[in-house]
Amino acid sequence: MKKAPPKQPTHNRAEVSLLTELAQRCAPGLAASFFASFFTTLCMLALPLYMFQTFDRVLGSGNQGTLIALTTMALGFMIVLGFLEYGRSRIHTILSNWTYQRLQLDSLQAMVTGSLNGTARPTEVLRDINELKRFVSGRYLIAAFEAVWSVLFIIVAFMLHPVFGLITLFGIVGLAALAIVNQMLASKPVADSIEASAMSNAHLNAALRNAEVIQGLGMVKTIARRWHEAEEHNLKVGERGINRAAKVTSASRSFRMVIQILTLGAAASLILAGEVSPGVFLAIMVIMARALQPFEQLIDGWGQWVSASRAYKRLEKALNAPHAVMPEMIYPRPSGLIEVERLVYIPPGVDSAVLRGISFTVQPGQALGILGPSAAGKSTLLRLLLGIVRPNVGAVRFDGQDVNQWEREDLGRYLGYVPQEPSLFEGTIRDNIGRMTDADPMAVIDAAKRADVHDIIGRLPGGYDSFIGQGGVVLTGGQKQRIALARALFGRPSIMLLDEPDANLDREGEAALKRTIRKLKHEGTTVICVSHRRSVLDEMDALLLLETGSIRRFGTREEVLPLIDGDKPKAAIAAKPAIRALPATGTDNAKGK
């Protein structure tokens, strides 16, 4: 045994959550942006101070040299401000892109395993990642930093005159209060509307995957009506939040105008009283505008803060789910020994187990057929053998090692799998057989020949380079299934798991499948196949009959098949020692009742 070679960084959730780790890694960059905001605020003060000095000193003295010096200094501050703004923007862009890239591997793992377990919606995870990316790179996070440094404007306002300082402070406190009111009134309806709309779109996408049924049965208007009703409800919920936010936004703008009027009136009164100069009048108007601007931006962008917060919480839950943890240990190529020990599996959101006390052993090079009525748990058992879902109790072991402790990419090289409904990826046939890698063409052809699909591919317009997907070649169900079988055979796996691989095959395809199974057994590959066709089951060394999630019988074909036919089984014949049932509570083995 040895540790896996270095790959894209993965995260050990036992120590600290991934998003917490990312926040810690981003902290220095955000701190740099925070202090850059301090210097941008200082530079922004150059304009009102320039106006103040120009009106009070230059116009009064008529000194051109002073004007040139002040103008030069002000222009210098504006140039520095431009560089600071650009640098700060670059910091947020870099942090945003880095966070997005760092989340890709873990989020994809969460999407895949969450989809398998029904605990996460892939589109939601993608949306949440993009939401965080937009938030980190957006203007509203910077506005929060600038709001903190608005204290500098308050200090300068007090220095110009205490009345100006009090008005500025009152304006900032008022806008901050409006921001809190906005959050209390509008955030929940808007967020609930976004959430409901995402679910509605997910349901629509799921429906569109059955486009043939929708069109064939004339269900387009029905699906459209259901979608319209859901979206209409979402819009009404969202409209309440948007209307509340619009009221607060309007109130904040009116409040800002009130503050400006108060400032103008106070400045005029103080000028008449001889307490301030006309230059102060111009300077305080600019200071007031700059002091209040970030708070107005926070009110306008409060929805993005709420969305980012909810996205963070959902991602935290998805990425830290137990099934999303990625093991890193790799082991030697398995010989094909499979040991299943007292498996119990309860799907998420379900109270009862779909598999109970499943135990058996399969030796290398042997073939086991799994059969039983619908909803007996056959496909679920294969998913547990693959390690794509985790049992609540028990374990699946390859050569003594728990399948769920095996690094997935490494283990995948030794496994072949054909699901009940084989689907191909968008790409060429060569890409699909080679498992979307830059595979050796000879290895691809070898897999195709072993699946007896090499000649079929050769008759396609582009051969192995035929494109599958939108605008590509159209394959029959049988062709897809045989190419999926070739993909499973790629790399000469040690263990082959087949879930009704004969479902879409004609007589010729079924004969090719039987030849492939015989070859695999001859080469020492362990085969486990779910099927109900006698011709395929005849290739099996033993059969396992599942009923309502438990093993009813595990033995030779002569022992098991009569139970399917409704006949009494022949006298128990000792199963091959290579395949046996292990003791398990509530199950019968080959020598059971």
Side-chain angles (χ1 to χ4, degrees):
M1 295 182 297
K2 56 183 180 178
K3 279 284 183 179
K7 300 181 180 181
Q8 182 173 340
T10 54
H11 176 69
N12 185 356
R13 291 169 183 79
E15 299 173 358
V16 63
S17 72
L18 174 60
L19 290 180
T20 300
E21 177 193 330
L22 290 180
Q24 293 171 351
R25 297 283 296 274
C26 289
L30 294 176
S33 173
F34 178 73
F35 286 107
S37 298
F38 169 76
F39 291 104
T40 58
T41 302
L42 288 179
C43 290
M44 290 175 187
L45 283 170
L47 179 59
L49 294 178
Y50 171 74
M51 298 172 67
F52 169 61
Q53 291 294 325
T54 299
F55 273 82
D56 282 4
R57 294 181 58 183
V58 175
L59 295 183
S61 64
N63 191 324
Q64 291 286 347
T66 302
L67 177 60
I68 293 173
L70 290 173
T71 302
T72 302
M73 291 176 62
L75 290 175
F77 276 110
M78 294 302 103
I79 292 172
V80 173
L81 176 62
F83 280 109
L84 287 172
E85 292 274 12
Y86 174 75
R88 186 173 59 178
S89 176
R90 285 292 299 156
I91 288 173
H92 284 267
T93 300
I94 291 171
L95 290 178
S96 171
N97 292 337
W98 180 82
T99 301
Y100 182 80
Q101 292 171 353
R102 179 63 183 83
L103 283 171
Q104 282 181 329
L105 179 61
D106 290 82
S107 60
L108 179 60
Q109 180 68 28
M111 283 188 284
V112 171
T113 53
S115 296
L116 292 170
N117 289 276
T119 56
R121 296 191 298 271
T123 54
E124 183 179 82
V125 175
L126 283 175
R127 190 189 74 216
D128 290 341
I129 292 175
N130 283 310
E131 187 66 45
L132 283 183
K133 182 176 183 291
R134 284 193 300 269
F135 177 73
V136 174
S137 63
R139 175 67 192 170
Y140 300 115
L141 184 57
I142 295 175
F145 296 158
E146 291 182 342
V148 174
W149 294 118
S150 290
V151 66
L152 296 177
F153 291 111
I154 298 175
I155 293 172
V156 173
F158 270 106
M159 292 173 63
L160 293 176
H161 197 280
V163 173
F164 295 145
L166 291 173
I167 294 175
T168 304
L169 184 60
F170 173 69
I172 289 175
V173 172
L175 287 177
L178 286 172
I180 295 173
V181 170
N182 186 44
Q183 192 275 337
M184 295 174 62
L185 295 178
S187 60
K188 190 177 187 306
V190 172
D192 289 346
S193 175
I194 294 173
E195 180 79 11
S197 181
M199 292 184 65
S200 174
N201 289 334
H203 292 157
L204 178 63
N205 290 332
L208 291 178
R209 285 195 288 271
N210 299 302
E212 291 183 4
V213 176
I214 293 174
Q215 186 71 9
L217 300 182
M219 297 171 58
V220 173
K221 292 183 178 179
T222 302
I223 297 297
R225 183 174 61 254
R226 291 169 64 91
W227 182 48
H228 174 74
E229 290 172 354
E231 285 297 298
E232 189 174 23
H233 170 71
N234 300 337
L235 289 174
K236 288 180 179 178
V237 173
E239 187 176 2
R240 289 199 298 269
I242 292 173
N243 287 338
R244 293 174 183 176
K247 292 176 182 178
V248 175
T249 300
S250 300
S252 68
R253 290 173 180 168
S254 297
F255 180 75
R256 178 174 178 175
M257 297 301 295
V258 168
I259 295 299
Q260 288 179 327
I261 291 172
L262 290 176
T263 304
L264 284 170
S269 176
L270 292 172
I271 290 173
L272 292 175
E275 295 187 34
V276 298
S277 63
V280 173
F281 174 84
L282 294 174
I284 193 60
M285 294 306 300
V286 176
I287 289 173
M288 183 67 67
R290 295 300 306 175
L292 300 181
Q293 183 180 27
F295 292 92
E296 279 196 298
Q297 290 179 340
L298 288 177
I299 292 174
D300 291 339
W302 194 257
Q304 189 167 354
W305 279 83
V306 173
S307 298
S309 175
R310 292 205 171 193
Y312 183 96
K313 292 177 182 178
R314 286 192 297 264
L315 276 177
E316 187 84 13
K317 181 179 178 181
L319 295 175
N320 291 323
H323 60 264
V325 178
M326 299 175 64
E328 298 182 0
M329 187 64 72
I330 65 174
Y331 299 92
R333 171 184 281 270
S335 65
L337 173 64
I338 301 176
E339 297 169 295
V340 178
E341 301 175 358
R342 299 174 177 82
L343 286 186
V344 175
Y345 180 65
I346 304 174
V350 178
D351 295 331
S352 59
V354 297
L355 289 174
R356 296 180 294 276
I358 305 297
S359 298
F360 60 87
T361 297
V362 183
Q363 295 289 347
Q366 297 293 325
L368 171 66
I370 300 176
L371 65 163
S374 298
K378 304 182 295 296
S379 296
T380 301
L381 178 55
L382 280 193
R383 287 150 62 94
L384 288 163
L385 293 176
L386 275 170
I388 57 180
V389 294
R390 291 173 177 262
N392 299 87
V393 178
V396 176
R397 304 185 189 279
F398 296 160
D399 285 9
Q401 304 303 322
D402 191 328
V403 65
N404 290 299
Q405 302 302 323
W406 207 312
E407 201 275 329
R408 289 306 313 178
E409 185 176 350
D410 180 68
L411 177 61
R413 297 187 296 125
Y414 309 132
L415 299 180
Y417 176 55
V418 178
Q420 193 171 32
E421 297 180 2
S423 58
L424 302 178
F425 299 101
E426 187 168 292
T428 65
I429 290 178
R430 172 183 170 180
D431 292 335
N432 274 273
I433 295 177
R435 304 189 181 187
M436 308 309 288
T437 63
D438 188 16
D440 180 3
M442 294 301 102
V444 172
I445 292 174
D446 173 69
K449 287 183 176 180
R450 286 157 57 79
D452 279 335
V453 75
H454 177 67
D455 292 339
I456 294 176
I457 296 173
R459 289 193 289 269
L460 295 175
Y464 283 89
D465 290 324
S466 298
F467 185 80
I468 301 172
Q470 188 173 2
V473 296
V474 178
L475 300 176
T476 65
Q479 288 174 328
K480 289 180 180 178
Q481 197 142 28
R482 295 177 71 175
I483 291 174
L485 178 60
R487 178 177 61 196
L489 291 167
F490 177 78
R492 294 183 174 259
S494 302
I495 298 171
M496 179 69 70
L497 303 173
L498 308 172
D499 193 355
E500 298 195 35
D502 48 10
N504 297 311
L505 299 181
D506 54 17
R507 184 174 299 177
E508 178 186 350
E510 184 178 328
L513 173 63
K514 293 170 60 178
R515 289 193 297 271
T516 298
I517 293 175
R518 286 195 291 269
K519 290 178 190 175
L520 291 170
K521 292 168 57 179
H522 178 72
E523 295 167 356
T525 300
T526 303
V527 178
I528 296 183
C529 178
V530 174
S531 180
H532 292 95
R533 291 193 185 183
R534 286 298 181 88
S535 59
V536 175
L537 295 177
D538 285 341
E539 302 297 330
M540 302 295 110
D541 296 303
L543 299 178
L544 186 152
L545 175 59
L546 282 177
E547 283 190 3
T548 63
S550 299
I551 297 178
R552 179 183 176 188
R553 176 72 72 168
F554 180 30
T556 63
R557 293 190 300 273
E558 292 78 7
E559 294 174 319
V560 177
L561 288 178
L563 297 175
I564 302 299
D565 298 331
D567 301 329
K568 293 183 179 180
K570 297 180 180 179
I573 301 174
K576 295 183 180 181
I579 303 180
R580 68 183 190 281
L582 300 178
T585 303
T587 64
D588 295 332
N589 57 25
K591 297 181 181 181
K593 297 178 182 180

